[in-house]
Amino acid sequence: MATFKQYSTKKGKRWLFKHYIGTNEETGKRESVLRRGFATKKEANLALSRLLLEIEQGGLKKNKKYKYHEVATMWLEQYKNTVKESTYAKIDLYFRVHIIPIFGNLYINNITASTCQKAINKWHKKNTQYKIFFRYTAKVFEYAITLNILNTNPTTRVTIPKRMAKIQDDDYTNFYNKEELQHFFKCLEADNRYMPLTLFRVLAFTGMRKGEALALNWQDINFKENTIRINKTLSKGLGKRMVIQSPKTKTSIRTLSLDPQTVNVLKTWRKKQKEFYFMQGINTLKTSQLVFSNKENNYLDSRFSVYLMNSIAKKHNLKRITTHGLRHTHCSLLFESGASLQDVKERLGHSDIQTTMNIYTHVTEKAKENTADKFAKYVNF
């Protein structure tokens, strides 16, 4: 992978980059390309892009053997510039933990369909994401073909195992019905912890994603119009650092209406937040002030809400659902209240109606009971 560094010259600051291109088969030493003398890091990046293009168009030495991890490193370098940092961090993790341990030290032109079949069979037994691991494994072979290292992709001759459906109701119970939700918030009020109360109130009464909620600034909330604007999300980037990114899809950028009670909860929390940080000498009057932040007034780790949900459920003996389950809850109760499919799609920020139909076709137990009552009344006996 490429590394960038700024250095000093008599004429001022300059940039260089060093890009790893493989291991010399004869000497066993790692080989890199060093380019320097760039006025800005942007210029260095452009030069790297041209170098990668030259390699891709001209191919690498056909008589040189490359190990899988070497080609994977080159593929990841160009892939990095095509996706969000959080996506790259996730795929990089897949390679480091699942793919490279199996294929990394094998010469890529010696990897057979049989080796690939054994790998996906192994993943299939241990991880539900086995198809994702296999898809990205295949992308490296495809990239090797474009570099003229390989002629064929061995993964095309592999049979993808099917995961047998388990008899379980997990997907259909990861939400609260109306009574359970009311009880959940009574427990939160009894705990007198206003930040968790506000966070979960916003999640349950808007249906927004957890990352969208944790990225909110106070300027995103219009207390005059009783609306909340969603235009960003908090994700984990490289090195597990928290980064602000654009939302999942274009349709995820949306403005949601807020009910009066949720508005009051937010107003109360804003006042309490100011008081809390004022006591610590932290200014919360800046326009970028987060609605939900940690004790140091920085981004909350996404695991914080998981810990909160679990601790609340344990303390009050509640049904355990995930933080995302509050989004399921919002959707289910929207349907139960009579909202249309299109209304739910737009409020949740789904990119297409099918997503709404596929994920949220389940209804609450009460809605199922109502269906039976409607049928009995209709046939009238």
Side-chain angles (χ1 to χ4, degrees), residues 319-331:
K319 181 175 79 175
R320 288 181 180 271
I321 68 170
T322 66
T323 308
H324 194 71
L326 293 175
R327 180 168 161 88
H328 286 238
T329 300
H330 186 72
C331 180

Side-chain angles (χ1 to χ4, degrees), residues 2 27 54 81 91 93 122 148 182-183 191 195 205 207 266 279 300 325 328 336 354 361 365:
T27 65
E54 289 172 9
N81 299 319
I91 303 308
L93 180 66
K122 179 180 178 181
N148 202 28
Q182 290 172 336
H183 182 57
D191 287 346
M195 196 276 278
F205 280 76
L266 282 164
M279 296 295 291
L300 278 171
H328 286 238
E336 186 178 312
Q354 194 62 46
T361 51
E365 293 176 5

Side-chain angles (χ1 to χ4, degrees), residues 109 148 210:
N109 58 326
N148 202 28
K210 177 173 64 175

